[in-house]
Amino acid sequence: MSNYFNKEIETMPLEQLRELQSERLVEQVKHVYENVKFYHDKMDEAGIKPEDIKSVDDLSKLPFINKDDLRDQYPYGLVGVPLSECVRIQSTSGTTGRRVVAFYTQGDIDIWDECCARAIVAAGGTKDDVCHVCYGYGLFTGGPGLNGGSHKVGCLTLPMSSGNTERQLQFMEDLGSTILCCTPSYAANLGEAINERGLKDKIKLKAGIFGAEPWTEEMRKSIEDSLGIKAYDIYGLTEITGPGVSFECEAQAGMHVQEDHFIPEIINPETGEVLPDGEVGELVFTCITKKAFPLLRYRTRDLCKLTREKCSCGRTHVRMHKPMGRSDDMMIVKGVNVWPSQIEAVLLKQGYQANYQIVVDRHNNRDSIEVQVELTPEMAADNSVPVEIREKKIVDGLKSMLGIKVDVKVVEPKTIVRSEGKAKRVIDRRNLYV
Ligand code: ADP
Ligand code: ZN
């Protein structure tokens, strides 16, 4: 039996949801046209008046906005209310090099908090839970978002922030944390540390809410086993609000997009054409309620697909597939498209943990790609399989996954740097020469 933070909205019949979205979209378009010069000019250029947008069916008439627009408008160009109405600024973590600042009114923060509260309740959270938040706090949206959601649910909130693993474990044990919120890579590290110290029986964790970076199903299984919990995916981006734009329910089969606030579309990244449900393309979001930083048809560069198939949890909101990386993450190596998540899947299938690094380089115009992966302590203790055999098996696995030869180096346990926030899996040295 599923629990909801806001049952009426989360299980709203589709037709009613469409009406709500249409009403909100019409109002939002008027708001940005009147208050944001950038949109005013852009809509004028495209020959669109606010009156032309009468319902969600007209959404595709609006122009797109992308990360370069945000950079050009930095810092205040897209703010939709007087600064005196804004109460908060957050900023992207700069994974792709360009920082973006986003603004929030108190109303926008309330929306964000509620989305995170819905995610916590969907993961089984109630006011009796101890919610351990070790996403980073500060400009990064992870900590503040889940913190706000945890308060709204009424959980006892531990604002741990990231890092200092010893202290994390001590508080987890002493205070009986039941829900863990962090990046999946940090969850994997905590799992490793807990098992090394023989603490598994002493911790009370039952669920984890993990996001802010791509992770595979193999990684989910590995985290669930090592921590003895159910692991839920959560997605979001600073530009749209932060974590909670979408999240998983107990079905763990895609993340429900909070459609009463954010309308998703999937487009062909080359042509901009809107694609039907089920097709993979670039994810685009329109904020229909946020006032301070109201992005319309924002191109996320995240690639995924949507499904409207009925979900067993009773939520009616559309589900998005786990984005397996953004178009920016894709590397072209030896002329072939390579995603870090494909490499991760091969490694975890062969029993390795997600402690790996990918190094791409170029010499004499020829690309090389090397994957370094740590032996697990059990593998290191087992002398019956020579390292060369292990390496060959990974090389073969990667060859059949990617179609190219990847160099593989198996390294001793604990030699690859652990991540405390978003993991940096790829070192692309080719960028140094351009
Ligand atoms: P930055 O762009 O600097 O990383 P953010 O911290 O706002 O800024 O990160 C948002 C991005 O993180 C998303 O666009 C997406 O690529 C990635 N992301 C967030 N949550 C997930 C998730 N659950 N699965 C995969 N990728 C995610
Ligand atoms: Zn569901």
Side-chain angles (χ1 to χ4, degrees), residues 188-215:
N189 296 343
L190 287 171
E192 180 182 63
I194 284 168
N195 286 294
E196 274 169 10
R197 290 164 184 70
L199 292 175
K200 197 163 170 187
D201 293 338
K202 300 207 172 113
I203 58 159
K204 298 208 178 73
L205 289 181
K206 61 176 189 187
I209 302 176
F210 306 130
E213 64 185 6
W215 51 314

PDB file of all heavy atoms in Angstrom, residues 188-215:
ATOM      1  N   ALA A 188      27.702   4.160  -1.864  1.00  0.00           N
ATOM      2  CA  ALA A 188      28.535   2.965  -2.055  1.00  0.00           C
ATOM      3  C   ALA A 188      29.736   3.019  -1.117  1.00  0.00           C
ATOM      4  O   ALA A 188      30.107   2.015  -0.509  1.00  0.00           O
ATOM      5  CB  ALA A 188      28.986   2.871  -3.511  1.00  0.00           C
ATOM      6  N   ASN A 189      30.310   4.210  -0.961  1.00  0.00           N
ATOM      7  CA  ASN A 189      31.466   4.331  -0.056  1.00  0.00           C
ATOM      8  C   ASN A 189      31.073   4.095   1.390  1.00  0.00           C
ATOM      9  O   ASN A 189      31.798   3.457   2.143  1.00  0.00           O
ATOM     10  CB  ASN A 189      32.092   5.725  -0.172  1.00  0.00           C
ATOM     11  CG  ASN A 189      32.646   5.940  -1.553  1.00  0.00           C
ATOM     12  OD1 ASN A 189      32.833   4.975  -2.292  1.00  0.00           O
ATOM     13  ND2 ASN A 189      32.895   7.180  -1.908  1.00  0.00           N
ATOM     14  N   LEU A 190      29.915   4.620   1.776  1.00  0.00           N
ATOM     15  CA  LEU A 190      29.462   4.400   3.153  1.00  0.00           C
ATOM     16  C   LEU A 190      29.210   2.909   3.383  1.00  0.00           C
ATOM     17  O   LEU A 190      29.561   2.367   4.430  1.00  0.00           O
ATOM     18  CB  LEU A 190      28.189   5.214   3.433  1.00  0.00           C
ATOM     19  CG  LEU A 190      28.388   6.718   3.589  1.00  0.00           C
ATOM     20  CD1 LEU A 190      27.037   7.436   3.644  1.00  0.00           C
ATOM     21  CD2 LEU A 190      29.188   7.051   4.854  1.00  0.00           C
ATOM     22  N   GLY A 191      28.625   2.244   2.374  1.00  0.00           N
ATOM     23  CA  GLY A 191      28.367   0.801   2.493  1.00  0.00           C
ATOM     24  C   GLY A 191      29.669   0.046   2.707  1.00  0.00           C
ATOM     25  O   GLY A 191      29.763  -0.839   3.563  1.00  0.00           O
ATOM     26  N   GLU A 192      30.665   0.429   1.946  1.00  0.00           N
ATOM     27  CA  GLU A 192      31.968  -0.229   2.062  1.00  0.00           C
ATOM     28  C   GLU A 192      32.532  -0.016   3.474  1.00  0.00           C
ATOM     29  O   GLU A 192      32.980  -0.959   4.138  1.00  0.00           O
ATOM     30  CB  GLU A 192      32.903   0.386   1.011  1.00  0.00           C
ATOM     31  CG  GLU A 192      34.295  -0.163   0.985  1.00  0.00           C
ATOM     32  CD  GLU A 192      35.135   0.575  -0.081  1.00  0.00           C
ATOM     33  OE1 GLU A 192      35.338   1.794   0.044  1.00  0.00           O
ATOM     34  OE2 GLU A 192      35.584  -0.079  -1.015  1.00  0.00           O
ATOM     35  N   ALA A 193      32.466   1.240   3.948  1.00  0.00           N
ATOM     36  CA  ALA A 193      33.025   1.561   5.266  1.00  0.00           C
ATOM     37  C   ALA A 193      32.273   0.826   6.378  1.00  0.00           C
ATOM     38  O   ALA A 193      32.873   0.329   7.334  1.00  0.00           O
ATOM     39  CB  ALA A 193      32.975   3.076   5.493  1.00  0.00           C
ATOM     40  N   ILE A 194      30.953   0.726   6.240  1.00  0.00           N
ATOM     41  CA  ILE A 194      30.138   0.053   7.264  1.00  0.00           C
ATOM     42  C   ILE A 194      30.498  -1.437   7.345  1.00  0.00           C
ATOM     43  O   ILE A 194      30.665  -1.992   8.428  1.00  0.00           O
ATOM     44  CB  ILE A 194      28.630   0.242   6.947  1.00  0.00           C
ATOM     45  CG1 ILE A 194      28.225   1.671   7.322  1.00  0.00           C
ATOM     46  CG2 ILE A 194      27.760  -0.781   7.679  1.00  0.00           C
ATOM     47  CD1 ILE A 194      26.869   2.093   6.817  1.00  0.00           C
ATOM     48  N   ASN A 195      30.669  -2.040   6.180  1.00  0.00           N
ATOM     49  CA  ASN A 195      30.989  -3.470   6.185  1.00  0.00           C
ATOM     50  C   ASN A 195      32.412  -3.737   6.686  1.00  0.00           C
ATOM     51  O   ASN A 195      32.647  -4.701   7.407  1.00  0.00           O
ATOM     52  CB  ASN A 195      30.739  -4.069   4.807  1.00  0.00           C
ATOM     53  CG  ASN A 195      29.233  -4.216   4.572  1.00  0.00           C
ATOM     54  OD1 ASN A 195      28.570  -4.999   5.237  1.00  0.00           O
ATOM     55  ND2 ASN A 195      28.681  -3.419   3.675  1.00  0.00           N
ATOM     56  N   GLU A 196      33.336  -2.851   6.326  1.00  0.00           N
ATOM     57  CA  GLU A 196      34.719  -3.022   6.815  1.00  0.00           C
ATOM     58  C   GLU A 196      34.787  -2.966   8.334  1.00  0.00           C
ATOM     59  O   GLU A 196      35.576  -3.641   8.960  1.00  0.00           O
ATOM     60  CB  GLU A 196      35.594  -1.876   6.297  1.00  0.00           C
ATOM     61  CG  GLU A 196      36.152  -2.127   4.934  1.00  0.00           C
ATOM     62  CD  GLU A 196      36.786  -0.861   4.369  1.00  0.00           C
ATOM     63  OE1 GLU A 196      36.950   0.154   5.126  1.00  0.00           O
ATOM     64  OE2 GLU A 196      37.087  -0.877   3.190  1.00  0.00           O
ATOM     65  N   ARG A 197      33.961  -2.114   8.913  1.00  0.00           N
ATOM     66  CA  ARG A 197      34.000  -1.937  10.376  1.00  0.00           C
ATOM     67  C   ARG A 197      33.037  -2.871  11.105  1.00  0.00           C
ATOM     68  O   ARG A 197      32.860  -2.750  12.315  1.00  0.00           O
ATOM     69  CB  ARG A 197      33.656  -0.477  10.717  1.00  0.00           C
ATOM     70  CG  ARG A 197      34.758   0.493  10.309  1.00  0.00           C
ATOM     71  CD  ARG A 197      34.219   1.920  10.304  1.00  0.00           C
ATOM     72  NE  ARG A 197      35.186   2.895   9.847  1.00  0.00           N
ATOM     73  CZ  ARG A 197      35.631   3.027   8.598  1.00  0.00           C
ATOM     74  NH1 ARG A 197      35.201   2.201   7.652  1.00  0.00           N
ATOM     75  NH2 ARG A 197      36.509   3.958   8.281  1.00  0.00           N
ATOM     76  N   GLY A 198      32.380  -3.728  10.339  1.00  0.00           N
ATOM     77  CA  GLY A 198      31.447  -4.678  10.965  1.00  0.00           C
ATOM     78  C   GLY A 198      30.266  -3.996  11.639  1.00  0.00           C
ATOM     79  O   GLY A 198      29.767  -4.449  12.666  1.00  0.00           O
ATOM     80  N   LEU A 199      29.794  -2.870  11.042  1.00  0.00           N
ATOM     81  CA  LEU A 199      28.717  -2.095  11.677  1.00  0.00           C
ATOM     82  C   LEU A 199      27.318  -2.432  11.161  1.00  0.00           C
ATOM     83  O   LEU A 199      26.342  -1.873  11.635  1.00  0.00           O
ATOM     84  CB  LEU A 199      28.947  -0.586  11.449  1.00  0.00           C
ATOM     85  CG  LEU A 199      30.146   0.044  12.151  1.00  0.00           C
ATOM     86  CD1 LEU A 199      30.291   1.502  11.720  1.00  0.00           C
ATOM     87  CD2 LEU A 199      29.956  -0.043  13.668  1.00  0.00           C
ATOM     88  N   LYS A 200      27.256  -3.329  10.184  1.00  0.00           N
ATOM     89  CA  LYS A 200      25.976  -3.515   9.499  1.00  0.00           C
ATOM     90  C   LYS A 200      24.828  -3.832  10.465  1.00  0.00           C
ATOM     91  O   LYS A 200      23.709  -3.340  10.288  1.00  0.00           O
ATOM     92  CB  LYS A 200      26.103  -4.599   8.438  1.00  0.00           C
ATOM     93  CG  LYS A 200      24.982  -4.551   7.434  1.00  0.00           C
ATOM     94  CD  LYS A 200      25.279  -5.323   6.188  1.00  0.00           C
ATOM     95  CE  LYS A 200      24.019  -5.448   5.338  1.00  0.00           C
ATOM     96  NZ  LYS A 200      24.237  -6.329   4.201  1.00  0.00           N
ATOM     97  N   ASP A 201      25.107  -4.615  11.493  1.00  0.00           N
ATOM     98  CA  ASP A 201      24.033  -4.973  12.431  1.00  0.00           C
ATOM     99  C   ASP A 201      23.675  -3.834  13.368  1.00  0.00           C
ATOM    100  O   ASP A 201      22.647  -3.874  14.038  1.00  0.00           O
ATOM    101  CB  ASP A 201      24.456  -6.174  13.292  1.00  0.00           C
ATOM    102  CG  ASP A 201      24.594  -7.406  12.434  1.00  0.00           C
ATOM    103  OD1 ASP A 201      23.985  -7.414  11.348  1.00  0.00           O
ATOM    104  OD2 ASP A 201      25.316  -8.336  12.838  1.00  0.00           O
ATOM    105  N   LYS A 202      24.527  -2.844  13.430  1.00  0.00           N
ATOM    106  CA  LYS A 202      24.277  -1.750  14.382  1.00  0.00           C
ATOM    107  C   LYS A 202      23.511  -0.593  13.764  1.00  0.00           C
ATOM    108  O   LYS A 202      23.040   0.291  14.476  1.00  0.00           O
ATOM    109  CB  LYS A 202      25.607  -1.227  14.922  1.00  0.00           C
ATOM    110  CG  LYS A 202      26.405  -2.298  15.637  1.00  0.00           C
ATOM    111  CD  LYS A 202      27.315  -1.678  16.680  1.00  0.00           C
ATOM    112  CE  LYS A 202      27.968  -2.752  17.522  1.00  0.00           C
ATOM    113  NZ  LYS A 202      29.416  -2.824  17.314  1.00  0.00           N
ATOM    114  N   ILE A 203      23.416  -0.550  12.441  1.00  0.00           N
ATOM    115  CA  ILE A 203      22.714   0.583  11.836  1.00  0.00           C
ATOM    116  C   ILE A 203      21.266   0.204  11.525  1.00  0.00           C
ATOM    117  O   ILE A 203      20.946  -0.961  11.303  1.00  0.00           O
ATOM    118  CB  ILE A 203      23.425   1.107  10.572  1.00  0.00           C
ATOM    119  CG1 ILE A 203      23.545  -0.004   9.552  1.00  0.00           C
ATOM    120  CG2 ILE A 203      24.774   1.719  10.893  1.00  0.00           C
ATOM    121  CD1 ILE A 203      23.755   0.497   8.182  1.00  0.00           C
ATOM    122  N   LYS A 204      20.411   1.246  11.507  1.00  0.00           N
ATOM    123  CA  LYS A 204      18.970   0.979  11.352  1.00  0.00           C
ATOM    124  C   LYS A 204      18.434   1.440  10.003  1.00  0.00           C
ATOM    125  O   LYS A 204      17.232   1.567   9.834  1.00  0.00           O
ATOM    126  CB  LYS A 204      18.215   1.718  12.457  1.00  0.00           C
ATOM    127  CG  LYS A 204      18.571   1.282  13.864  1.00  0.00           C
ATOM    128  CD  LYS A 204      17.369   1.516  14.790  1.00  0.00           C
ATOM    129  CE  LYS A 204      17.604   1.077  16.209  1.00  0.00           C
ATOM    130  NZ  LYS A 204      18.516   1.943  16.965  1.00  0.00           N
ATOM    131  N   LEU A 205      19.306   1.760   9.062  1.00  0.00           N
ATOM    132  CA  LEU A 205      18.836   2.278   7.776  1.00  0.00           C
ATOM    133  C   LEU A 205      17.850   1.313   7.136  1.00  0.00           C
ATOM    134  O   LEU A 205      18.055   0.099   7.175  1.00  0.00           O
ATOM    135  CB  LEU A 205      20.011   2.467   6.817  1.00  0.00           C
ATOM    136  CG  LEU A 205      20.989   3.596   7.092  1.00  0.00           C
ATOM    137  CD1 LEU A 205      22.063   3.613   6.004  1.00  0.00           C
ATOM    138  CD2 LEU A 205      20.270   4.944   7.151  1.00  0.00           C
ATOM    139  N   LYS A 206      16.771   1.890   6.537  1.00  0.00           N
ATOM    140  CA  LYS A 206      15.828   1.039   5.799  1.00  0.00           C
ATOM    141  C   LYS A 206      15.697   1.486   4.348  1.00  0.00           C
ATOM    142  O   LYS A 206      15.323   0.714   3.491  1.00  0.00           O
ATOM    143  CB  LYS A 206      14.457   1.052   6.489  1.00  0.00           C
ATOM    144  CG  LYS A 206      13.829   2.442   6.540  1.00  0.00           C
ATOM    145  CD  LYS A 206      12.433   2.446   7.126  1.00  0.00           C
ATOM    146  CE  LYS A 206      11.799   3.810   6.931  1.00  0.00           C
ATOM    147  NZ  LYS A 206      10.532   3.991   7.595  1.00  0.00           N
ATOM    148  N   ALA A 207      15.969   2.757   4.086  1.00  0.00           N
ATOM    149  CA  ALA A 207      15.825   3.257   2.711  1.00  0.00           C
ATOM    150  C   ALA A 207      16.872   4.318   2.428  1.00  0.00           C
ATOM    151  O   ALA A 207      17.387   4.974   3.337  1.00  0.00           O
ATOM    152  CB  ALA A 207      14.429   3.860   2.521  1.00  0.00           C
ATOM    153  N   GLY A 208      17.179   4.469   1.146  1.00  0.00           N
ATOM    154  CA  GLY A 208      18.100   5.525   0.731  1.00  0.00           C
ATOM    155  C   GLY A 208      17.492   6.262  -0.443  1.00  0.00           C
ATOM    156  O   GLY A 208      16.776   5.661  -1.259  1.00  0.00           O
ATOM    157  N   ILE A 209      17.732   7.580  -0.503  1.00  0.00           N
ATOM    158  CA  ILE A 209      17.238   8.388  -1.628  1.00  0.00           C
ATOM    159  C   ILE A 209      18.470   8.981  -2.291  1.00  0.00           C
ATOM    160  O   ILE A 209      19.123   9.862  -1.738  1.00  0.00           O
ATOM    161  CB  ILE A 209      16.271   9.472  -1.125  1.00  0.00           C
ATOM    162  CG1 ILE A 209      15.108   8.800  -0.374  1.00  0.00           C
ATOM    163  CG2 ILE A 209      15.759  10.319  -2.288  1.00  0.00           C
ATOM    164  CD1 ILE A 209      14.135   9.775   0.259  1.00  0.00           C
ATOM    165  N   PHE A 210      18.801   8.427  -3.456  1.00  0.00           N
ATOM    166  CA  PHE A 210      20.092   8.721  -4.059  1.00  0.00           C
ATOM    167  C   PHE A 210      19.931   9.327  -5.448  1.00  0.00           C
ATOM    168  O   PHE A 210      19.170   8.808  -6.259  1.00  0.00           O
ATOM    169  CB  PHE A 210      20.914   7.428  -4.175  1.00  0.00           C
ATOM    170  CG  PHE A 210      21.061   6.680  -2.866  1.00  0.00           C
ATOM    171  CD1 PHE A 210      20.780   5.326  -2.795  1.00  0.00           C
ATOM    172  CD2 PHE A 210      21.470   7.334  -1.721  1.00  0.00           C
ATOM    173  CE1 PHE A 210      20.921   4.629  -1.597  1.00  0.00           C
ATOM    174  CE2 PHE A 210      21.612   6.648  -0.508  1.00  0.00           C
ATOM    175  CZ  PHE A 210      21.335   5.284  -0.455  1.00  0.00           C
ATOM    176  N   GLY A 211      20.669  10.383  -5.716  1.00  0.00           N
ATOM    177  CA  GLY A 211      20.589  10.994  -7.039  1.00  0.00           C
ATOM    178  C   GLY A 211      21.693  11.998  -7.239  1.00  0.00           C
ATOM    179  O   GLY A 211      22.720  11.952  -6.560  1.00  0.00           O
ATOM    180  N   ALA A 212      21.491  12.915  -8.167  1.00  0.00           N
ATOM    181  CA  ALA A 212      22.432  13.978  -8.545  1.00  0.00           C
ATOM    182  C   ALA A 212      23.503  13.508  -9.510  1.00  0.00           C
ATOM    183  O   ALA A 212      24.296  14.301  -9.992  1.00  0.00           O
ATOM    184  CB  ALA A 212      23.081  14.646  -7.327  1.00  0.00           C
ATOM    185  N   GLU A 213      23.549  12.210  -9.807  1.00  0.00           N
ATOM    186  CA  GLU A 213      24.508  11.697 -10.790  1.00  0.00           C
ATOM    187  C   GLU A 213      23.946  10.392 -11.356  1.00  0.00           C
ATOM    188  O   GLU A 213      23.117   9.745 -10.712  1.00  0.00           O
ATOM    189  CB  GLU A 213      25.875  11.451 -10.145  1.00  0.00           C
ATOM    190  CG  GLU A 213      25.832  10.375  -9.068  1.00  0.00           C
ATOM    191  CD  GLU A 213      27.154  10.204  -8.324  1.00  0.00           C
ATOM    192  OE1 GLU A 213      28.081  10.988  -8.553  1.00  0.00           O
ATOM    193  OE2 GLU A 213      27.237   9.269  -7.512  1.00  0.00           O
ATOM    194  N   PRO A 214      24.413  10.020 -12.545  1.00  0.00           N
ATOM    195  CA  PRO A 214      23.910   8.775 -13.127  1.00  0.00           C
ATOM    196  C   PRO A 214      24.401   7.565 -12.339  1.00  0.00           C
ATOM    197  O   PRO A 214      25.514   7.580 -11.816  1.00  0.00           O
ATOM    198  CB  PRO A 214      24.512   8.758 -14.533  1.00  0.00           C
ATOM    199  CG  PRO A 214      25.150  10.074 -14.747  1.00  0.00           C
ATOM    200  CD  PRO A 214      25.367  10.700 -13.422  1.00  0.00           C
ATOM    201  N   TRP A 215      23.568   6.542 -12.238  1.00  0.00           N
ATOM    202  CA  TRP A 215      23.987   5.271 -11.624  1.00  0.00           C
ATOM    203  C   TRP A 215      23.223   4.154 -12.276  1.00  0.00           C
ATOM    204  O   TRP A 215      22.113   4.337 -12.751  1.00  0.00           O
ATOM    205  CB  TRP A 215      23.838   5.285 -10.106  1.00  0.00           C
ATOM    206  CG  TRP A 215      22.517   5.707  -9.517  1.00  0.00           C
ATOM    207  CD1 TRP A 215      21.769   6.797  -9.875  1.00  0.00           C
ATOM    208  CD2 TRP A 215      21.803   5.068  -8.458  1.00  0.00           C
ATOM    209  NE1 TRP A 215      20.645   6.878  -9.086  1.00  0.00           N
ATOM    210  CE2 TRP A 215      20.639   5.828  -8.199  1.00  0.00           C
ATOM    211  CE3 TRP A 215      22.039   3.929  -7.665  1.00  0.00           C
ATOM    212  CZ2 TRP A 215      19.708   5.490  -7.211  1.00  0.00           C
ATOM    213  CZ3 TRP A 215      21.120   3.602  -6.683  1.00  0.00           C
ATOM    214  CH2 TRP A 215      19.975   4.382  -6.462  1.00  0.00           C
TER     215      TRP A 215
END
